[in-house]
Amino acid sequence: MRADRLVSALLLMQRRGRVTAAELAKELDVSVATARRDLEAMSAAGIPVYPQPGRGGGWSLVGGARTDLSGLSADEAQALFLLVGPAAAASGDAKAALNKLLRALPQTFRADAEAAADATMVDPTPWGERDRDRPEMVDRLQTAVVRRRKVRLTYTNGARERTERLVDPWGLVDKDDIWYLIAGTERGRRTFRVDRIGAAEQTGETAERPDDFTLATAWQEVVGDVERKRSRTWATVLVETRYVNVLRDRFGRHCHADGEAADGRARIRLASPTPLDVARNLAGWGGLIEVLEPVSVQVELARIGAELAARYAGLSTDEDDQRNEDDRHPSLEAGWRSSSDAPEEPRVMPPRQAPERALGSR
C-alpha cells in the first residue's frame, strides 16, 4: 500500500468514524478490490483498524484511535524543515503549510525547526543567466498527476514529429531545470520533455497507475537508459595529470582514471554517444591529449584537424610564435582548476546540453 493512500485512508476514518471499502475506493479513485486489500494490509501491518460485518458495517479505528501525523521527533522535524524551507521561499502555499506544521510541533522543537527553515537558500539560476520561472505547463500536469486524471497531449518529439496522445500522468521530474513527465501510454511507460508539450488537456477519465509504481525508481531507470546511450563510444587517452580534473568537469560520470603511462601521463577512459562527439570534445586540446584508441575517434580528429588546417593555413603572428605551452591554453591553466582552487569570481564553463534524442518520448 502506498504511503499517500495510507494517510488518506487514516484521515478519512478519523473524520467519518467508519468507512466501507466502496466509500474508500470512491474517495481514493481506486477499485473496490484495491481499497479492500489496502484495508486488510493496514490491519495486518498492526494499524488499529478492524472490520464490522453486516448491514451498516465497515472499517473503523479501534476505540476511535487517532493517528498524530505531526508526531515528529526533534531530528525529524529539523530534517524536514531543512528540506522544505528553501522551497517555501518560492511558494506561498508551501510557506503557509510550513507555518501550520511549525505551530503543530511541540514548543521545545519550534526554535530549531524555524532556524532550519531559514538556514538554506537555493538559487537555481546559473551565473550570467536570467531567472527562470517554473513553466505553467508543469503546474497543469502536476494537477493532473495529483487528481489522477488522464491528459490529452500534443507532443513534438526530437525528430519534430507532432502527435496527439492520451496518457496517464504518473509523475514529474525536474532535471537540471528541464522538466520531464513520466506517464503511462498504450505502449507502456514513456518519458516526455515538458518543453515539447504544445498542449495538455485534462480529461474527466481516471488515470491508471500501477500499485507498485514509485517515481524515484522509474526515474533511475530512465537515467540509466539515457546514460548508457550517452556513453556508447569509449576512448582511451593520455593527458598530463594536471588536466585530469578538466576532463572530469567536461565528461562527468563518463570519465574514469585508468592508471598511468610510462611517461607519467594519466591514462583516462572517457565516453560520448558517437566517435564524432568524442572528437569534437577533444579537438580543442590540440597536442595536450593523445588518443590511444579507438581508431574511429582518431579518424574523426584527423578529419577535423585537416579541415581546420586547410581553412587557416598560412595564418600566423609573431605573438603566436612567442607563446609558451601554458599561454596557448589559458582556459586550462587559469579557468579550469579543481574545485579546491575555485576563484572568487564565478568561472564560465561550457554548457552541458540535455540529451535531445536519448531522453524524450518517441
Side-chain angles (χ1 to χ4, degrees), residues 81 84-85 87-103 118:
F81 277 72
V84 180
S91 169
D93 289 340
K95 188 172 184 178
L98 205 63
N99 287 335
K100 290 179 181 178
L101 180 56
L102 183 66
R103 290 194 295 270
D118 295 329

Side-chain angles (χ1 to χ4, degrees), residues 238-295:
L238 296 181
V239 66
E240 292 183 39
T241 55
R242 55 179 170 165
Y243 298 139
V244 170
N245 284 337
V246 183
L247 286 175
R248 286 176 175 158
D249 281 340
R250 187 67 190 90
F251 287 88
R253 69 173 70 189
H254 303 137
C255 178
H256 308 293
D258 191 30
E260 187 176 290
D263 60 5
R265 287 182 295 173
R267 185 189 302 269
I268 302 294
R269 293 275 294 165
L270 43 82
S272 287
T274 68
L276 178 57
D277 291 319
V278 178
R280 282 172 172 168
N281 282 306
L282 298 181
W285 289 70
L288 290 177
I289 277 188
E290 179 184 353
V291 177
L292 299 181
E293 55 88 24
V295 173

